[in-house]
């Protein structure tokens, strides 16, 4: 009999099809009676497939006594109760590396879109303003500006490589100094006064909650540009909203928020902010790579082989 996998976060059809070759697949996210599904299959479900924005709770783990592994479709696993999994001997994996370059592309895309108001320019052409009003107001450049990256992990380093191509002086904040030729600051607040652009790419989770705090946001230079491709929890959202409302931040590109997808409606009122639906890794190619890596981790556990990308 195939081992059972509880699919907690919705996955593309190609991933579900591939999972059925090895697992008895239970679509938790689509079930009307979720508790009933779990109860009926509690003795055969050995794996959970989830997503970073969905996670897996200790209560769900307790309901599955045969559970061996939780595979996260994404690099961020902050909503998986990792201490609870560890206490129960349940392995946790994620999908790093395969989405690094994709997220870095989106980070630079958001930066350009926000600074040059690319969505507004598109609307300017479509609604006839170009013909009736003439040229759009002038915007600000990106190349050559000083960028500060919060979190110089895989994704932060990939953003930095792109920033080098834009001839941008680079600074970063991290708990420890790294062996790179960029200026280091211990905290975002210490870095903020020295940069024109603040790019947030730190990992989510309890350790980084509120890392970009009010002090950091208030310390930004007037006219700064702010981008976040990390997690909404990393930023003090109330402070960010205040800075946007008061135009202390000149432009922003945001892929992540608190309470997704039910985000604070005030974000929708700002014409100097470019919004995205937490889609930095959302390409067909990368999502297929993420699904493959998650599946290979689950299969390795079933086969007794070493996991490819275990969470520390």
């Amino acid at each position: 009999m195939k081992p059972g996998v509880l699919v907690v976060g919705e996955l593309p059809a190609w991933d579900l099809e591939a999972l059925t070759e090895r697992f008895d697949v239970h679509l938790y996210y689509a079930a009307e009676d979720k508790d009933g599904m779990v109860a009926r299959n509690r003795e055969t479900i050995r794996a959970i497939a989830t997503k970073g924005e969905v996670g897996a709770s200790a209560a769900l783990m307790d309901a599955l006594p045969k559970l061996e592994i939780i595979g996260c479709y994404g690099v961020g696993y902050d909503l998986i109760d990792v201490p609870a999994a560890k206490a129960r001997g349940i392995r946790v994996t994620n999908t790093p590396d395969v989405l690094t370059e994709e997220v870095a592309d989106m980070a630079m895309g958001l930066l350009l879109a926000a600074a040059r108001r690319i969505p507004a320019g598109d609307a300017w052409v479509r609604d006839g303003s170009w013909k009736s009003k003439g040229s759009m107001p002038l915007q600000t450049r990106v190349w050559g500006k000083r960028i500060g990256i919060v979190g110089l992990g895989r994704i932060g380093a990939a953003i930095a490589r792109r920033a080098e191509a834009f001839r941008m002086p680079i600074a970063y904040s991290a708990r420890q100094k790294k062996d790179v030729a960029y200026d280091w600051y211990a905290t975002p607040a210490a870095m903020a006064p020295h940069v024109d652009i603040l790019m947030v790419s730190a990992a989510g989770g309890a350790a980084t909650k509120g890392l970009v705090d009010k002090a950091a946001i208030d310390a930004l230079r007037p006219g700064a540009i702010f981008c976040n491709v990390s997690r909404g929890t990393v930023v003090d959202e109330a402070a960010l909203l205040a800075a946007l409302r008061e135009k202390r931040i000149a432009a922003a590109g945001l892929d992540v928020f608190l309470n997704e997808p039910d985000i604070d409606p005030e974000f929708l009122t700002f014409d100097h902010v470019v919004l995205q639906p937490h889609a930095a890794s959302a390409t067909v190619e990368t999502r297929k790579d993420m699904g493959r890596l998650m599946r290979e981790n689950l299969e390795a556990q079933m086969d007794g082989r070493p996991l490819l990308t275990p969470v520390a």
Side-chain angles (χ1 to χ4, degrees):
M1 189 171 70
K2 294 179 181 178
V5 59
L6 188 69
V7 182
V8 176
E10 186 172 359
L11 296 176
W14 56 70
D15 287 321
L16 295 177
E17 183 178 351
L19 280 171
T20 59
E21 295 178 8
R22 182 67 190 275
F23 294 90
D24 184 17
V25 176
H26 304 281
L27 301 183
Y28 183 84
Y29 65 85
E32 292 185 7
D33 181 10
K34 291 178 170 56
D35 291 340
M37 170 181 280
V38 170
R40 288 190 300 274
N41 299 283
R42 64 193 306 269
E43 296 298 327
T44 59
I45 290 175
R46 296 170 57 190
I48 284 177
T50 189
K51 300 170 82 170
E53 65 269 27
V54 177
S57 67
L60 183 58
M61 298 177 208
D62 286 340
L64 298 169
K66 305 298 185 181
L67 185 64
E68 301 174 23
I69 185 170
I70 300 170
C72 183
Y73 178 90
V75 67
Y77 53 88
D78 38 299
L79 292 183
I80 297 174
D81 193 332
V82 175
K86 182 178 180 181
R88 292 158 177 77
I90 299 167
R91 310 293 299 279
V92 178
T93 67
N94 64 343
T95 59
D97 297 319
V98 294
L99 51 72
T100 296
E101 302 299 332
E102 213 74 82
V103 176
D105 277 356
M106 175 64 87
M108 296 305 290
L110 277 173
L111 173 55
L112 288 164
R116 298 297 300 271
R117 296 195 68 196
I118 292 173
D122 180 84
W124 194 265
V125 176
R126 293 177 186 275
D127 67 13
S129 294
W130 191 13
K131 182 178 179 180
S132 63
K133 300 177 183 178
S135 299
M136 271 183 65
L138 298 178
Q139 307 305 320
T140 189
R141 70 168 49 146
V142 168
W143 75 266
K145 288 190 177 293
R146 185 170 173 79
I147 187 171
I149 302 173
V150 179
L152 200 70
R154 294 180 178 91
I155 293 171
I159 293 169
R161 292 194 295 272
R162 286 156 174 76
E164 288 178 355
F166 281 75
R167 295 191 292 175
M168 303 172 78
I170 299 167
Y172 71 100
S173 66
R175 284 174 291 184
Q176 295 181 337
K177 190 174 183 180
K178 298 177 180 287
D179 185 21
V180 293
Y182 310 142
D183 292 335
W184 170 72
Y185 296 88
T187 66
M191 179 171 67
H194 305 286
V195 299
D196 304 304
I197 298 158
L198 194 68
M199 176 70 71
V200 185
S201 65
T208 58
K209 185 176 181 180
L211 176 65
V212 182
D213 56 12
K214 186 177 186 297
I217 291 170
D218 290 349
L220 286 168
R221 298 172 178 176
I225 301 170
F226 183 92
C227 293
N228 189 2
V229 292
S230 171
R231 284 286 191 269
T233 55
V234 176
V235 177
D236 182 333
E237 194 165 274
L240 175 60
L241 283 165
L244 291 170
R245 188 185 310 126
E246 297 162 12
K247 299 292 180 73
R248 288 182 281 119
I249 290 176
L254 305 174
D255 185 49
V256 291
F257 310 83
L258 294 179
N259 306 314
E260 297 173 4
D262 187 23
I263 71 171
D264 192 306
E266 189 174 7
F267 282 114
L268 310 181
T269 69
F270 298 133
D271 63 3
H272 58 312
V273 179
V274 177
L275 309 174
Q276 288 291 291
H278 199 151
S281 67
T283 67
V284 171
E285 297 91 342
T286 285
R287 290 295 169 87
K288 285 187 174 181
D289 286 342
M290 289 163 60
R292 172 190 50 75
L293 180 53
M294 181 187 69
R295 186 176 68 254
E296 288 176 352
N297 275 309
L298 299 182
E299 292 174 347
Q301 176 67 24
M302 299 302 107
D303 294 339
R305 294 182 281 110
L307 301 181
L308 282 76
T309 53
V311 168

